[in-house]
Amino acid sequence: DVKVTQSSRYLVKRTGEKVFLECVQDMDHENMFWYRQDPGLGLRLIYFSYDVKMKEKGDIPEGYSVSREKKERFSLILESASTNQTSMYLCASSNDLGYGYTFGSGTRLTVV
Amino acid sequence: GQQLNQSPQSMFIQEGEDVSMNCTSSSIFNTWLWYKQDPGEGPVLLIALYKAGELTSNGRLTAQFGITRKDSFLNISASIPSDVGIYFCAGRIQGAQKLVFGQGTRLTINP
């Protein structure tokens, strides 16, 4: 079964900390995505990558950065965590958008 | 960024009832997808649609690709408790590098 694995299900971090969210896929997919999900706001795209070392800003990139050094791994970085970044973070990957994305199980991040 | 208009935002129904939800857009899509998200999990693909007018079923779920290519519908028949969750529509515009998502429909079922 194809898989997208997010390293943590739950994280609690302090304001101002640097936070790394890791995502690994085993499907040799070209495209990887990071979304955040908040009640009533749906899925909002933070960043995506269509190749190693390539990245594109999504709709809400402020306060975030990403890294894709290897094809299978896409990391989301919160440079200085703030309470308004408390959210559910979802990673996804895709080779052919016609077949949609495969999502990870999500990381619920709480910044205190 | 662009989003699809998905309605209703939430539904509260009795077990056994049928459910309908839909998504509309001002843009033409060449692919429509429907996902379900169980509580505490990531979304999982339910149905994919590729042609205008296409009607596809997956068990008790049936989805349609609108004739205008600007809308899609999902129906769930005879709902059961495990249907609880958030349903998302998603669409792909020709040549786009990413999908566009609806805001989701939260389904709650009273036993």
Side-chain angles (χ1 to χ4, degrees):
Chain A
D1 223 4
V2 295
K3 268 195 152 181
V4 176
T5 303
Q6 294 184 232
S7 54
S8 305
R9 293 299 298 269
Y10 300 94
L11 273 180
V12 180
K13 296 291 181 180
R14 295 195 181 280
T15 300
E17 275 193 74
K18 190 169 185 175
V19 180
F20 293 85
L21 302 183
E22 307 288 346
C23 176
V24 176
Q25 50 97 1
D26 65 0
M27 299 165 282
D28 201 35
H29 281 175
E30 301 286 340
N31 309 303
M32 297 188 74
F33 307 83
W34 274 106
Y35 286 85
R36 66 176 281 177
Q37 182 179 16
D38 300 288
L41 297 178
L43 301 173
R44 293 184 291 167
L45 182 63
I46 305 171
Y47 269 96
F48 66 104
S49 167
Y50 51 87
D51 202 352
V52 175
K53 296 194 186 294
M54 305 300 287
K55 60 183 179 184
E56 294 279 346
K57 291 181 180 179
D59 302 318
I60 52 164
E62 297 78 18
Y64 302 94
S65 62
V66 289
S67 171
R68 192 157 180 212
E69 296 296 318
K70 293 185 177 182
K71 191 175 186 180
E72 66 270 19
R73 186 181 296 270
F74 192 34
S75 304
L76 180 69
I77 303 155
L78 286 65
E79 297 289 342
S80 177
S82 64
T83 54
N84 63 13
Q85 292 178 309
T86 291
S87 187
M88 172 73 138
Y89 289 88
L90 289 164
C91 175
S93 73
S94 174
N95 230 17
D96 181 342
L97 290 185
Y99 297 105
Y101 299 163
T102 301
F103 282 91
S105 297
T107 296
R108 186 164 292 282
L109 173 68
T110 302
V111 182
V112 298
Chain B
Q2 183 178 18
Q3 271 199 324
L4 298 172
N5 296 313
Q6 185 172 348
S7 66
Q9 287 193 16
S10 60
M11 302 184 74
F12 298 85
I13 63 168
Q14 299 292 325
E15 184 177 350
E17 285 186 28
D18 296 343
V19 172
S20 291
M21 61 191 77
N22 70 85
C23 274
T24 61
S25 171
S26 56
S27 303
I28 290 175
F29 289 89
N30 64 352
T31 303
W32 283 95
L33 304 154
W34 285 92
Y35 285 85
K36 183 197 176 196
Q37 183 180 28
D38 289 326
E41 298 294 330
V44 173
L45 183 66
L46 296 173
I47 293 178
L49 302 156
Y50 301 106
K51 287 196 293 193
E54 181 180 352
L55 191 71
T56 297
S57 294
N58 179 2
R60 292 176 296 105
L61 278 62
T62 301
Q64 185 164 23
F65 193 137
I67 291 292
T68 66
R69 297 171 64 192
K70 293 182 178 182
D71 55 9
S72 181
F73 306 86
L74 177 69
N75 296 313
I76 305 172
S77 62
S79 58
I80 59 178
S82 61
D83 291 334
V84 163
I86 302 176
Y87 292 80
F88 290 98
C89 62
R92 182 193 178 197
I93 296 171
Q94 182 79 26
Q97 291 180 304
K98 57 191 190 304
L99 299 177
V100 179
F101 282 88
Q103 298 97 324
T105 296
R106 182 180 293 274
L107 180 63
T108 303
I109 298 176
N110 299 316

